[in-house]
Amino acid sequence: MLNDSDSIHQPGEDLREYLRSRENRSLYRYRLTLESPQAPRVTVNGREYLAFCSNDYLGLANHPELIAAVCEGAAQYGVGAGASHLVNGHSRAHHLLEEALASFTRHPRALLFSTGYMANAGVVTALTGRGDAIFADKLNHASLNDAALLSHARLSRYPHLGLAVLERQLAASQAKRKLVLSDAVFSMDGDIVPLPKLLELCERYDAWLLLDDAHGFGVLGDQGRGSLAHFNISSPRIIYIGTLGKAAGVFGAFVAAQGEIIEMLIQCGRSYIYTTATPPFLSHALLKSLELIGSGAWRREKLARLTGLLKQECRSLPWKLLPSDTPIQPLVMGENAKALQVSEALRQKGILVTAIRPPTVPQGTARLRISLSSSHDIEDVVQLGAALREIDRDRG
Ligand SMILES: *Cc1c(COP(=O)(O)O)cnc(C)c1O
């Protein structure tokens, strides 16, 4: 070891400088540590807060029937899968869940992945490579952008919902294989992609469509079957991704598609092949979660009522909610520091709403991403509205 520290840079000096500059630009990220389950009321540092941050849209993350199903699944299958799916980690619990997911989303087959991030990486890299072309909405989730870069295909991004630009890009492409990537419900904006028009473009230009329904599965459509059911659309060119850690309340993700696509993923999906299968008891619990999603129309009806109420509550504020009919209701502040300030003021009143800043959202559009759950009550939303109006009054 050298102890002549004057003549040598301390390791990490450049990292510290980077971290400081991030803090100076109000971009520093901190984590809250929850001492309670995910629910409308969470405990942080011994204090209870009313929270509007999670993606637990149907209030299933702490549902007693799912907790019981996890215990039952662990007793039946143990706690760890012990191996990847292609070695000997593929359990009957995984298999039953794949069959249930295929049938629930009305696709020929479904395949489980550990996470949505990995499902997107697996699909995009298994289906495209050098010489192929990917087209992606600019506001897509980061996991789709990363998947596109990992694939080495040529990536063209189009403005948010800019289907005219997408059409020009598709028309100009000479690629062997074309793949369009889109969130179905945009995760930081809450708006829904105009799926019929998007699909029509994919058909006209012979492109596959990867539809990431992380925020629509369980929430939209008849029985919560997702965005495809919402639009009453199905097509063999759609590769549907649903996640299981948001509305479904547990963990994981799946791809639902034609049999050939699923076989391609089993053969070539690196994020499927080279990782340990998720614990089978989670799949066992997810079978119960699917039942609760399908039979719980009241949860989606309540979400719609709460969403309408929140819009009323926010009407007189100087900040505007983005136009969204999903439980994702972003209140746009613009500046990073402003979003942090309002988030902090809410926190002092016992309410948690995360400030979302670049690069998660574009520069100058920092926002409070309010997300609703069917386990919120009317009074919770009224309390949030009153707190926001008070903060606005105090600052003026
Ligand atoms: C959350 C999310 C993902 C990632 O899913 P995980 O299961 O959390 O990895 C992918 N796409 C979108 C649109 C998301 O919101």
Side-chain angles (χ1 to χ4, degrees):
M1 276 304 213
L2 290 171
N3 49 18
D4 180 9
S5 57
D6 288 344
S7 66
I8 255 183
H9 283 293
Q10 290 295 314
E13 211 173 288
D14 53 333
L15 302 183
R16 279 191 293 279
E17 197 174 308
Y18 169 75
L19 292 171
R20 240 191 329 270
S21 91
R22 220 173 144 91
E23 189 151 26
N24 292 340
R25 290 174 292 149
S26 300
L27 288 176
Y28 212 82
R29 264 72 165 165
Y30 299 92
R31 302 172 302 172
L32 294 176
T33 305
L34 263 60
E35 294 146 15
S36 62
Q38 189 61 265
R41 281 183 178 68
V42 296
T43 311
V44 178
N45 271 334
R47 178 172 176 192
E48 191 183 272
Y49 291 89
L50 173 58
F52 294 91
C53 317
S54 86
N55 303 307
D56 181 26
Y57 303 120
L58 302 179
L60 297 181
N62 187 36
H63 195 287
E65 287 189 54
L66 294 188
I67 296 169
V70 162
C71 296
E72 185 184 272
Q76 193 171 341
Y77 298 104
V79 291
S84 65
H85 284 277
L86 298 194
V87 177
N88 76 341
H90 186 64
S91 145
R92 184 174 157 75
H94 297 130
H95 211 75
L96 290 174
L97 180 61
E98 288 178 345
E99 287 175 351
L101 287 167
S103 137
F104 188 71
T105 62
R106 304 185 168 120
H107 285 90
R109 281 187 71 186
L111 189 73
L112 284 172
F113 277 77
S114 299
T115 68
Y117 190 100
M118 290 166 77
N120 285 336
V123 171
V124 176
T125 57
L127 295 184
T128 63
R130 283 180 220 287
D132 297 324
I134 293 176
F135 307 86
D137 190 293
K138 278 205 170 141
L139 294 190
N140 277 348
H141 192 258
S143 59
L144 288 169
N145 298 335
D146 292 0
L149 294 178
L150 200 55
S151 77
H152 301 292
R154 190 194 161 109
L155 171 62
S156 309
R157 296 172 85 201
Y158 54 90
H160 182 47
L161 305 182
L163 299 192
V165 174
L166 170 61
E167 172 155 24
R168 284 199 293 279
Q169 292 173 346
L170 283 166
S173 171
Q174 305 290 323
K176 292 198 299 288
R177 196 177 287 162
K178 301 177 194 143
L179 175 64
V180 174
L181 309 180
S182 183
D183 282 20
V185 174
F186 286 84
S187 55
M188 296 300 139
D189 297 68
D191 53 343
I192 304 174
V193 78
L195 190 53
K197 285 193 197 128
L198 183 62
L199 180 61
E200 188 192 298
L201 281 186
C202 293
E203 280 166 353
R204 194 175 320 149
Y205 294 97
D206 192 24
W208 293 94
L209 173 58
L210 185 165
L211 195 68
D212 179 342
D213 205 20
H215 300 275
F217 180 75
V219 172
L220 294 180
D222 156 51
Q223 296 189 290
R225 289 173 204 269
S227 303
L228 297 176
H230 173 80
F231 286 106
N232 200 13
I233 269 184
S234 77
S235 160
R237 16 182 110 248
I238 294 178
I239 303 160
Y240 179 85
I241 312 263
T243 61
L244 301 168
K246 290 173 178 163
V250 186
F251 186 73
F254 66 97
V255 178
Q258 297 298 301
E260 294 75 29
I261 295 283
I262 301 300
E263 282 305 316
M264 276 298 286
L265 295 176
I266 296 173
Q267 307 309 316
C268 312
R270 298 175 66 85
S271 61
Y272 180 75
I273 299 167
Y274 298 108
T275 195
T276 301
T278 52
F281 68 78
L282 294 179
S283 295
H284 186 76
L286 280 157
L287 284 167
K288 172 58 73 179
S289 170
L290 269 190
E291 273 178 49
L292 294 174
I293 290 172
S295 64
W298 66 269
R299 292 192 175 87
R300 286 175 286 278
E301 284 155 18
K302 187 167 168 207
L303 260 180
R305 281 200 303 279
L306 294 173
T307 303
L309 175 62
L310 180 71
K311 289 182 185 186
Q312 269 176 23
E313 288 288 323
C314 291
R315 229 171 4 206
S316 65
L317 293 173
W319 314 294
K320 291 298 155 225
L321 284 173
L322 289 178
S324 155
D325 291 318
T326 66
I328 302 170
Q329 293 288 320
L331 196 57
V332 177
M333 319 259 141
E335 288 167 36
N336 302 335
K338 177 92 253 167
L340 279 183
Q341 244 171 48
V342 179
S343 174
E344 181 49 37
L346 281 171
R347 190 156 153 182
Q348 280 167 14
K349 295 176 187 295
I351 299 178
L352 294 182
V353 184
T354 315
I356 307 278
R357 292 154 288 160
T360 310
V361 293
Q363 289 293 342
T365 70
R367 65 198 66 183
L368 296 189
R369 178 183 184 269
I370 302 168
S371 61
L372 295 167
S373 162
S374 62
S375 49
H376 280 122
D377 286 322
I378 300 232
E379 298 74 54
D380 298 337
V381 174
V382 169
Q383 188 182 332
L384 172 62
L388 283 166
R389 284 191 299 274
E390 218 173 275
I391 290 165
D392 173 39
R393 226 176 296 127
D394 291 352
R395 92 195 160 118

